[in-house]
C-alpha cells in the first residue's frame, strides 16, 4: 500500500535547494554582464584603432581629444538616462544646447564675464527643461510631442538670436579652460566636469530616494502613484534635471569651440538616446544605468574617432552606429523576455 507523502517540515532553518535566487541578485548579475560586454566592445575598438592607426590613435593628444568630445555629449546623456528610466523621452536636448550656447555668447552676456556665460547657459537649459516638464507632467502632453515642439522652438530661437552667424567668445577666462595649460595631471577640465556629473548622477540614481522614485515611475506609474509618489512632480524634476545637464553641456561646448552657433548640438538627442540604450537603459522605463550610458558614449565617440583617422565616409559611420543601436535593442528584448 502506498504511504502518503509526509507533510513539509517547518522551522528547520533550511532553504530548499531549488529556491530561486533573489530578484535583485539576478538583476545585478545581468547588469554585470552588460557592463563587461560594453567594456569588451570598447576594448575591441581600442585594439582596432591601435592596429589601423597606431601612431595617431594611441597618441596622448588624440586620447585627450576623444575624452573631451565625449564629455559634452556625456553630460547630456546622464540627464537623458534619468528621463528614459522614468519612461519618458527628450528629443529637445540638442536644440537646448544650441539655444543655451548662443544665448550665453551674445555680446551683452559676455560683458558679465565667466560667471555671466556660465549662469546664462545653465539658466536657459533649466528654463527649457521647466517648460518641457510642465507640458508633460501638468499639461498632459506626450513626451515625444512636447519635446519635439521644444526642439523646433529652441532651434528657431537660436537661429533668430545669431542670424545664422557664429558668435565668437572673447572672455579669456573661458577660453583658457580649453588650453593645455589648464589640464590637471594631463586631464582636460571638461573631462573632470564630466566625471563629476557622472559620479553625482550615479549616486542620485542608485543611492537616493529620488532615484528609486524615478525607477518606480518608469516601471509602473500607476503603482508608484498608489504608493504615494507624486508622479507629476517627479516627472517635472526629471525634465529640469535634463535641462540642467544641457546647460552644463552648452558651457562645455563653448569652452571647446570658443564660440556659440545655432547648429551646436546637432543630433545630440539621437546620440544621447543611443548611448543610453546600448548602455542598458530600457526605452520602456523602469531600468537605467549611468555606468552603461557613459560606456555607450565612449563607444560611439571612439567609433567616430577611428572613422575620422582612417578617412572613412560619414555615411558608413552612421550605418555602423545604426547597426549597433539595433543590436542593442534586440539584446534588450531578449533579456526582457528571458527575465
Amino acid at each position: 500500500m502506498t504511504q502518503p507523502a509526509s507533510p513539509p517540515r517547518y522551522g528547520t532553518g533550511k532553504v530548499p535547494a531549488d529556491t530561486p535566487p533573489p530578484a535583485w541578485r539576478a538583476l545585478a548579475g545581468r547588469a554585470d554582464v552588460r557592463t563587461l560586454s560594453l567594456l569588451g566592445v570598447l576594448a575591441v575598438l581600442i585594439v582596432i584603432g591601435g592596429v589601423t592607426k597606431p601612431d595617431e590613435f594611441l597618441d596622448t593628444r588624440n586620447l585627450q581629444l576623444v575624452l573631451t568630445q565625449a564629455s559634452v555629449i556625456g553630460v547630456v546623456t546622464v540627464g537623458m538616462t534619468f528621463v528614459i528610466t522614468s519612461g519618458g523621452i527628450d528629443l529637445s536636448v540638442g536644440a537646448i544646447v544650441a539655444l543655451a550656447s548662443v544665448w550665453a555668447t551674445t555680446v551683452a552676456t559676455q560683458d558679465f564675464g565667466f560667471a555671466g556665460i556660465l549662469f546664462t547657459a545653465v539658466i536657459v537649459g533649466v528654463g527649457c527643461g521647466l517648460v518641457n516638464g510642465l507640458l508633460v507632467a501638468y499639461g498632459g502632453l506626450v513626451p515625444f510631442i512636447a519635446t519635439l515642439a521644444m526642439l523646433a522652438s529652441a532651434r528657431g530661437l537660436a537661429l533668430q538670436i545669431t542670424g545664422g552667424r557664429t558668435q565668437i567668445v572673447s572672455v579669456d577666462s573661458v577660453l583658457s579652460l580649453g588650453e593645455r595649460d589648464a589640464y590637471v595631471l594631463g586631464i582636460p577640465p571638461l573631462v573632470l566636469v564630466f566625471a563629476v556629473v557622472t559620479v553625482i548622477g550615479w549616486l542620485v540614481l542608485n543611492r537616493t530616494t529620488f532615484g528609486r522614485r524615478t525607477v518606480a515611475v518608469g516601471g509602473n506609474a500607476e503603482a508608484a502613484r498608489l504608493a504615494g509618489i507624486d508622479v507629476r512632480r517627479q516627472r517635472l524634476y526629471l525634465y529640469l534635471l535634463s535641462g540642467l545637464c544641457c546647460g552644463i553641456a552648452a558651457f562645455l561646448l563653448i569652452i571647446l569651440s570658443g564660440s556659440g552657433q545655432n547648429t551646436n548640438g546637432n543630433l545630440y538627442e539621437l546620440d544621447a538616446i543611443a548611448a543610453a540604450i546600448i548602455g542598458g537603459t530600457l526605452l520602456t522605463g523602469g531600468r537605467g544605468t549611468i555606468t552603461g550610458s557613459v560606456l555607450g558614449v565612449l563607444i560611439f565617440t571612439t567609433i567616430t574617432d577611428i572613422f575620422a583617422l582612417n578617412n572613412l565616409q560619414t555615411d558608413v559611420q552612421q550605418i555602423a552606429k545604426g547597426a549597433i543601436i539595433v543590436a542593442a535593442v534586440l539584446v534588450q528584448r531578449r533579456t526582457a523576455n528571458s527575465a
Side-chain angles (χ1 to χ4, degrees):
M1 184 174 179
T2 304
Q3 297 293 330
S6 58
R9 300 176 62 186
Y10 299 99
T12 60
K14 297 181 179 180
V15 180
D18 58 348
T19 301
W24 65 266
R25 186 173 298 174
L27 181 62
R30 290 197 297 271
D32 290 340
V33 171
R34 286 195 301 271
T35 302
L36 291 175
S37 300
L38 292 171
L39 287 173
V41 172
L42 185 59
V44 170
L45 290 174
I46 293 175
V47 171
I48 292 175
V51 170
T52 56
K53 292 289 183 178
D55 295 334
E56 299 175 29
F57 180 79
L58 298 178
D59 183 71
T60 302
R61 290 178 179 269
N62 181 66
L63 296 178
Q64 290 172 337
L65 177 62
V66 170
L67 291 176
T68 300
Q69 292 175 337
S71 298
V72 180
I73 185 61
V75 172
V76 175
T77 303
V78 170
M80 181 69 78
T81 300
F82 276 88
V83 173
I84 296 178
T85 301
S86 71
I89 199 74
D90 191 348
L91 301 179
S92 64
V93 291
I96 294 176
V97 169
L99 178 59
S101 68
V102 299
W103 206 324
T105 54
T106 59
V107 175
T109 303
Q110 292 193 50
D111 287 341
F112 293 94
F114 182 97
I117 294 177
L118 174 60
F119 176 80
T120 302
V122 170
I123 204 65
V124 170
V126 172
C128 292
L130 176 62
V131 174
N132 280 336
L134 290 175
L135 291 175
V136 172
Y138 295 95
L141 290 184
V142 177
F144 182 91
I145 299 300
T147 58
L148 184 62
M150 175 58 72
L151 182 156
S153 300
R155 282 290 179 193
L157 184 55
L159 178 59
Q160 187 177 46
I161 292 175
T162 61
R165 296 183 296 272
T166 299
Q167 298 178 163
I168 304 300
V169 177
S170 59
V171 181
D172 293 336
S173 57
V174 173
L175 298 175
S176 63
L177 292 177
E179 299 176 355
R180 297 189 62 83
D181 293 340
Y183 289 9
V184 179
L185 299 177
I187 303 176
L190 276 69
V191 178
L192 295 177
V193 174
F194 176 36
V196 171
V197 171
T198 298
V199 171
I200 294 176
W202 187 91
L203 290 174
V204 171
L205 184 60
N206 296 281
R207 293 292 185 269
T208 67
T209 303
F210 183 87
R212 290 191 290 271
R213 288 175 178 172
T214 300
V215 175
V217 170
N220 191 321
E222 180 61 20
R225 185 187 66 81
L226 295 175
I229 298 175
D230 190 332
V231 175
R232 293 191 299 179
R233 184 173 60 186
Q234 184 70 17
R235 285 173 173 163
L236 173 62
Y237 289 162
L238 289 168
Y239 281 99
L240 283 172
L241 177 60
S242 179
L244 173 63
C245 289
C246 289
I248 296 173
F251 183 70
L252 298 182
L253 190 57
I254 291 171
I255 295 174
L256 183 62
S257 63
S259 64
Q261 305 177 55
N262 64 284
T263 56
N264 282 343
N266 187 34
L267 297 181
Y268 272 19
E269 56 277 356
L270 299 183
D271 288 342
I273 293 171
I277 291 174
I278 72 170
T281 300
L282 286 181
L283 265 177
T284 54
R287 187 184 74 200
T289 163
I290 297 297
T291 302
S293 296
V294 170
L295 289 175
V297 170
L298 293 176
I299 288 173
F300 277 134
T301 309
T302 303
I303 290 175
T304 301
D305 185 65
I306 292 175
F307 273 67
L309 291 177
N310 287 276
N311 296 320
L312 297 177
Q313 296 181 356
T314 305
D315 53 355
V316 180
Q317 174 184 327
Q318 298 300 329
I319 293 173
K321 286 185 177 182
I324 293 174
I325 294 171
V326 171
V329 173
L330 291 176
V331 170
Q332 278 193 1
R333 293 183 60 183
R334 184 175 180 181
T335 302
N337 292 333
S338 62

